[in-house]
Amino acid sequence: MNPFTEGDLLLLLRLIAAHLIVDFLLQPNSWVQERLERKWASPWLYLHALLAAGAAYGLAGEWKAIWLLPIIFASHLLLDGFKSQSKDTLRIFFADQLGHFTVIFLCWIQLADATFFDVGNYLGSNKSNYTFWIVAVAYIVAIGPSGILIGKFTAPWREELGKNPEEEEQEESDEGLQQAGLWIGRLERVLILTFVLFSRFEAIGFLIAAKSVFRFGDIRQSSSRKHAEYILIGTLLSFGFALALGIFANWLIGYFKGLAL
C-alpha cells in the first residue's frame, strides 16, 4: 500500500518545480559567473537563495510551514556557496543537485506528515491537475537542466576542439548566429518532448531527418573529423534526453491515473 496520498506526491512535484524554475530558468549565467569569481561575496548568491526559498514556500502552499523558508534559504546558500569554491564540472553539478534534492525530499517528508491548511486547489493539487505538474516539470527539465547536462558532458570534447567549455550549446561555427545552438537545442527537445507526450513518434523521425539534412552540410564541410563527431554526439544526446524524458513523463502520468482509480 502506498503510504503517500496523491496530494502528497503532487506536493513533491511542486517543490521540484520550484527548485528547477529558480535554479535553471531564473538564474542568469552572469549570476553564476560572478558567484564563481567573488565566491561568498557575491550578492547574487544570497538573492538566488532567497528566490529559491520563496518559490518553494509559495508553490508548497503550506502557509503555516514557515520553517520551510529558512531551511531552503540556508541549504541553497551553503550548497551553492561551497560549489563556487570548486571547478564547475559534471561531478560537482551532480553533487550540488543531489544536495538540493535531498533537502527537498526531507522537507517534503515533513510536510506530507503535517496537517496544515492546504490551499493547493488553485496550485493544481487535485486529481484533475496532476498532469499539469508532471508536464510542467518535464518541459522545465527539457529547457534548462538537460542543456546544462549536455554541455558539461561534452565539455572535454569542446576543450579538445579549443572551444570555451563555458559556452554550452552556443555558437557551433564562427559564422553561426549568437546563441543559435543554445536555442536550437532547446527547441528540438521541446518538440520531441511534445511529440512523445502526444504519442506522435513518427513526427520525431521527421524531425531527426530534417535536422540531419541541415547538419549534413556542416559535417561534410567541417575542417575536422573531431568537430563532426562533436556535433553528432551533442545532437544524439539532445534527442535521446528528450525522448527518455517524454517516456518517463508519460509513465508518471499513467502512475497517477492508477492512484486516482
Side-chain angles (χ1 to χ4, degrees):
M1 182 178 179
N2 193 336
F4 299 107
T5 66
E6 185 180 356
D8 293 335
L9 296 176
L10 283 168
L11 173 60
L12 178 60
L13 283 174
R14 297 202 302 269
L15 289 172
I16 291 174
H19 168 71
L20 294 176
I21 290 171
V22 173
D23 230 29
F24 297 100
L25 301 186
L26 298 183
Q27 182 175 209
N29 190 56
S30 59
W31 291 16
V32 178
Q33 294 303 316
E34 182 173 338
R35 188 183 70 212
L36 292 174
E37 294 174 3
R38 301 185 61 186
K39 315 299 182 186
W40 297 99
S42 172
W44 304 121
L45 173 63
Y46 300 89
L47 178 59
H48 178 63
L50 185 62
L51 289 175
Y57 180 68
L59 285 185
E62 301 282 4
W63 307 128
K64 292 184 179 180
I66 196 68
W67 54 265
L68 192 62
L69 285 168
I71 287 180
I72 296 297
F73 175 81
S75 63
H76 219 92
L77 179 66
L78 291 173
L79 286 169
D80 282 10
F82 284 116
K83 179 185 176 183
S84 66
Q85 309 295 315
S86 307
K87 187 176 180 181
D88 193 15
T89 62
L90 183 62
R91 181 178 300 178
I92 295 298
F93 174 82
F94 274 122
D96 175 67
Q97 292 302 312
L98 178 61
H100 288 307
F101 278 102
T102 299
V103 174
I104 289 171
F105 180 77
L106 293 175
C107 290
W108 170 66
I109 292 295
Q110 180 63 33
L111 288 170
D113 290 336
T115 57
F116 298 120
F117 173 66
D118 187 5
V119 294
N121 286 330
Y122 66 85
L123 291 174
S125 179
N126 56 63
K127 291 184 178 181
S128 63
N129 286 324
Y130 59 81
T131 301
F132 168 80
W133 289 104
I134 296 173
V135 172
V137 169
Y139 276 108
I140 293 171
V141 172
I143 294 172
S146 59
I148 294 177
L149 280 173
I150 293 169
K152 293 186 182 301
F153 185 80
T154 57
W157 292 301
R158 279 203 306 277
E159 292 176 350
E160 187 175 348
L161 291 170
K163 295 178 177 289
N164 184 352
E166 299 298 332
E167 296 177 355
E168 297 167 1
E169 289 190 340
Q170 306 241 348
E171 300 169 282
E172 295 173 356
S173 70
D174 293 337
E175 299 178 356
L177 297 174
Q178 185 178 11
Q179 293 191 336
L182 171 69
W183 287 101
I184 289 172
R186 287 176 173 176
L187 289 172
E188 71 186 14
R189 287 191 295 275
V190 165
L191 287 174
I192 291 175
L193 176 58
T194 302
F195 294 150
V196 174
L197 291 175
F198 285 97
S199 298
R200 304 296 300 193
F201 292 95
E202 69 278 6
I204 298 176
F206 174 79
L207 181 63
I208 293 174
K211 186 171 183 180
S212 299
V213 171
F214 284 108
R215 282 298 191 187
F216 178 75
D218 292 337
I219 296 175
R220 184 181 59 180
Q221 297 175 9
S222 175
S223 59
S224 170
R225 177 181 174 181
K226 292 181 179 180
H227 181 69
E229 291 172 343
Y230 168 77
I231 293 175
L232 183 59
I233 290 173
T235 298
L236 291 176
L237 283 173
S238 183
F239 276 57
F241 200 104
L243 185 61
L245 185 61
I247 292 173
F248 178 72
N250 275 336
W251 174 84
L252 199 56
I253 291 172
Y255 175 76
F256 270 77
K257 285 182 179 179
L259 290 178
L261 295 178

